[in-house]
Amino acid sequence: MKKIIACLDCKDGKLVKGVQFTDIKEIADPVERAAYYIEEGIDEIIYYDISASNEGRKNQIEIARKIAEICKSKNIPLTVGGGISSLEDIQEALDAGATKVSINTAAVKNPQFIKEASEKFGKDKIVVAIDGKKNEKGSWDVYIKGGSENTGIDVVEFAKKLEKLGAGELCMNSIDGDGAKKGYDLELTKQLRDNLTIPIIASGGAGKLEHFKEAFNAGANSALGASVFHFDEIDIHDLKRYLLFKNIEVDWSSYEL
């Protein structure tokens, strides 16, 4: 079954959104938006403290705790990311109510951290998030620190490595697509699907209903939306109805047909 995920990118306790990881603007209260998405029938929520790694600090876990309380009331999985760089950080996020944690910069700096985390908490708790951007060679480079630093590491090869180390899921953030609303990076999604067995979350580029269908057809297990949901450009109910009519299996249990 395919899943629709709402992403809550937060900075200084506020829900924000930018384009290609820049021009970040405050738009709403993350806890209020989380409650709204849950009532609308979202399948999962991801909360990112987007400046934590870049600022060299831990996740603002109190916000995650508030979101987790709402998610728990409706049995909606919550993934918490941003500033997760130790086993203690993971434990703190899980204790706050997270279902899973998302690890990004720390996985690049120390891939063995994924192995340690998976062995301690189980691979089903460990999501690796990769921020990738297409290069002049036609492949994709891994970026860290909120998309501000190019590591030169190949995205597909790195994803394969992290899967072997114990990652349970991959969230592929396309920097090129982020906030552009021109569609997900389908070529990258297909390459990842051909090389991985773990679930893939397509992230970056959602702008219309068709884009979600395209991502699923390219091999994504889940498709993530941010600004299209934050600005009420796409209604979650309408999206699921559209996908259902396109013969894509989605969870319809929260609706009455």
Side-chain angles (χ1 to χ4, degrees):
M1 185 175 293
K2 304 297 186 180
K3 296 180 180 179
I4 306 299
I5 299 176
C7 182
L8 302 172
D9 289 330
C10 296
K11 185 176 182 180
D12 300 325
K14 299 295 183 180
L15 181 64
V16 298
K17 193 68 188 81
V19 177
Q20 297 181 338
F21 288 33
T22 62
D23 193 25
I24 305 297
K25 296 179 181 179
E26 179 182 320
I27 55 177
D29 178 85
V31 181
E32 292 178 0
R33 290 308 289 182
Y36 173 73
Y37 295 143
I38 290 170
E39 289 302 317
E40 288 294 298
I42 202 71
D43 297 314
E44 293 192 21
I45 288 177
I46 294 180
Y47 156 68
Y48 283 130
D49 184 345
I50 64 169
S51 59
S53 293
N54 206 21
E55 295 174 0
R57 60 172 173 79
K58 296 177 68 173
N59 192 288
Q60 292 185 331
I61 206 68
E62 283 308 311
I63 298 171
R65 194 185 309 277
K66 292 177 182 178
I67 297 172
E69 289 176 1
I70 299 170
C71 290
K72 185 178 180 180
S73 67
K74 298 290 185 179
N75 294 317
I76 300 298
L78 170 67
T79 299
V80 171
I84 306 293
S85 59
S86 69
L87 298 179
E88 291 75 19
D89 292 339
I90 296 174
Q91 187 66 64
E92 185 177 25
L94 296 176
D95 289 345
T99 312
K100 299 175 278 188
V101 296
S102 177
I103 303 169
N104 189 326
T105 296
V108 179
K109 291 183 174 181
N110 178 23
Q112 288 300 314
F113 176 47
I114 300 303
K115 185 174 187 294
E116 296 169 5
S118 179
E119 289 177 348
K120 181 172 178 60
F121 299 102
K123 64 183 299 181
D124 61 312
K125 301 288 186 184
I126 308 303
V127 180
V128 289
I130 298 177
D131 298 331
K133 185 178 177 65
K134 201 166 190 177
N135 57 38
E136 296 178 352
K137 299 178 293 183
S139 56
W140 295 263
D141 293 331
V142 175
Y143 282 67
I144 59 172
K145 295 182 178 179
S148 65
E149 182 180 322
N150 185 0
T151 67
I153 299 170
D154 181 81
V155 165
V156 177
E157 291 303 315
F158 187 56
K160 289 164 60 178
K161 179 178 182 177
L162 294 180
E163 179 180 29
K164 290 180 181 178
L165 287 170
E169 191 170 10
L170 168 66
C171 183
M172 186 63 240
N173 305 313
S174 169
I175 296 176
D176 296 307
D178 180 69
K181 301 179 184 179
K182 296 181 179 179
Y184 298 96
D185 191 329
L186 303 179
E187 182 184 357
L188 177 56
T189 302
K190 290 175 182 176
Q191 285 203 27
L192 290 169
R193 183 72 285 154
D194 289 343
N195 284 276
L196 303 175
T197 61
I198 58 175
I200 296 169
I201 303 169
S203 172
K208 55 184 180 180
L209 301 178
E210 291 85 350
H211 292 156
F212 288 84
K213 174 178 69 72
E214 292 167 355
F216 291 136
N217 288 340
N221 302 86
S222 303
L224 179 150
S227 56
V228 289
F229 297 148
H230 302 335
F231 299 118
D232 299 318
E233 295 168 1
I234 290 180
D235 178 84
I236 296 167
H237 178 274
D238 290 343
L239 173 58
K240 286 196 171 185
R241 183 183 294 275
Y242 166 82
L243 293 170
L244 191 67
F245 290 161
K246 293 296 181 178
N247 297 314
I248 294 175
E249 187 179 5
V250 294
D251 184 2
W252 200 256
S253 60
S254 62
Y255 302 112
E256 293 183 7
L257 290 174

